[in-house]
Amino acid sequence: MENPGGPPLALILFGPPGSGKGTQAKLLKKCLEVPHISTGDMLREHVDSDDDLGREVRNGMEAGLLVSDELVNRLVVERLKRPDAANGFILDGYPRTLQQAAFLSNLLDSKGVRPVVVHLLVDYNRIISRLSGRLQCPVCGTVYNLSTKPPKVDNKCDNEGATLVSRPDDSPDVVRHRLEEYDVQTRPLLEYFSKSGNAFYPVKGSGIPPQAIAEQICGLVMQKQ
Ligand code: ADP
């Protein structure tokens, strides 16, 4: 992520479940040429491979609860050591608590990386409809929605032809818990970010195509920070 004359940037995509953080991160990594780091994806990989960490977090994730700060912070520290993160990165789903935000702030300071926060604004009703009809390709990660972006062939990925899957935590009861976790644990970060003096951009996360939203964010991030 070029920031001429300035430090590497960490783009923090912030917003409730269903606000489009994952979709935007996938589009933005092409425009910004930096990796997409999703704590949710990393945790799901552990759950899918059924290793110790996966077994530790599975029940909480399936119930829509946050996993421990200590564990998530550790995953992020390890991921940021990889060379592809040296010139900046996109964080999706992290930080999600005040403790994580304070931890990240120290970590970025120590690496000389500057945070830029983008807050995706999407209203509550749209979030519910997005999450309830969501399907994803297990191969390329493309996200579909039965009402707003259905696949061309029922239940098959347009790119891969793979059978689409839904996330176990997208059932209505679990979605409710995820939104409660957001309200109680994550929303307070807005005040934290606004006091921190970091670059902070609210961006409308619905009403225009995802590609147009990504172009807008890319423009904001590429302007001199
Ligand atoms: P969404 O933003 O749509 O809820 P994610 O894929 O970001 O989806 O997260 C899925 C689940 O993974 C969360 O409900 C939580 O259990 C866990 N998780 C992801 N990121 C974090 C984090 N930073 N802190 C704690 N738990 C997390």
Side-chain angles (χ1 to χ4, degrees):
M1 187 169 346
E2 224 176 295
N3 182 26
L9 300 176
L11 170 58
I12 299 174
L13 289 176
F14 186 82
S19 56
K21 302 184 298 290
T23 301
Q24 286 305 315
K26 287 184 189 82
L27 295 166
L28 287 163
K29 72 176 181 187
K30 292 178 199 148
C31 130
L32 300 170
E33 297 177 341
V34 290
H36 165 201
I37 299 179
S38 156
T39 43
D41 286 349
M42 289 195 280
L43 291 164
R44 276 185 290 277
E45 274 168 31
H46 284 282
V47 170
D48 290 345
S49 61
D50 200 28
D51 57 17
D52 287 349
L53 194 152
R55 281 194 289 273
E56 186 181 334
V57 300
R58 171 182 279 124
N59 289 343
M61 284 180 75
E62 287 183 356
L65 306 174
L66 295 188
V67 312
S68 79
D69 291 331
E70 195 267 324
L71 193 153
V72 181
N73 289 339
R74 193 155 34 93
L75 281 182
V76 171
V77 168
E78 287 310 311
R79 178 62 185 85
L80 295 187
K81 283 182 187 161
R82 285 179 27 198
D84 65 342
N87 297 320
F89 41 87
I90 301 167
L91 291 173
D92 158 14
Y94 182 89
R96 236 166 158 117
T97 65
L98 287 166
Q99 202 279 349
Q100 291 176 22
F103 182 88
L104 176 68
S105 169
N106 284 332
L107 184 65
L108 296 184
D109 275 356
S110 72
K111 289 179 179 289
V113 174
R114 180 176 302 168
V116 179
V117 183
V118 166
H119 180 201
L120 288 168
L121 305 165
V122 179
D123 72 52
Y124 187 82
N125 290 337
R126 191 173 295 268
I127 283 172
I128 300 289
S129 81
R130 277 185 183 177
L131 292 176
S132 54
R134 180 159 77 169
L135 290 171
Q136 189 166 20
C137 173
V139 180
C140 67
T142 303
V143 177
Y144 297 86
N145 187 283
L146 292 178
S147 48
T148 54
K149 190 197 169 199
K152 292 189 183 115
V153 176
D154 256 10
N155 230 22
K156 300 280 179 206
C157 175
D158 295 352
N159 310 321
E160 305 290 337
T163 300
L164 302 175
V165 292
S166 61
R167 269 171 47 178
D169 59 351
D170 275 350
S171 68
D173 257 11
V174 179
V175 164
R176 196 161 43 80
H177 284 134
R178 284 161 61 203
L179 291 170
E180 280 166 11
E181 288 284 69
Y182 176 79
D183 277 336
V184 174
Q185 308 228 47
T186 310
R187 197 190 292 278
L189 266 67
L190 285 172
E191 201 187 333
Y192 174 92
F193 288 136
S194 76
K195 285 187 180 148
S196 67
N198 298 324
F200 181 90
Y201 302 106
V203 170
K204 204 162 171 279
S206 64
I208 56 170
Q211 185 64 47
I213 299 171
E215 277 161 24
Q216 202 185 327
I217 296 174
C218 199
L220 289 169
V221 174
M222 298 299 254
Q223 77 194 4
K224 196 161 169 41
Q225 298 292 334

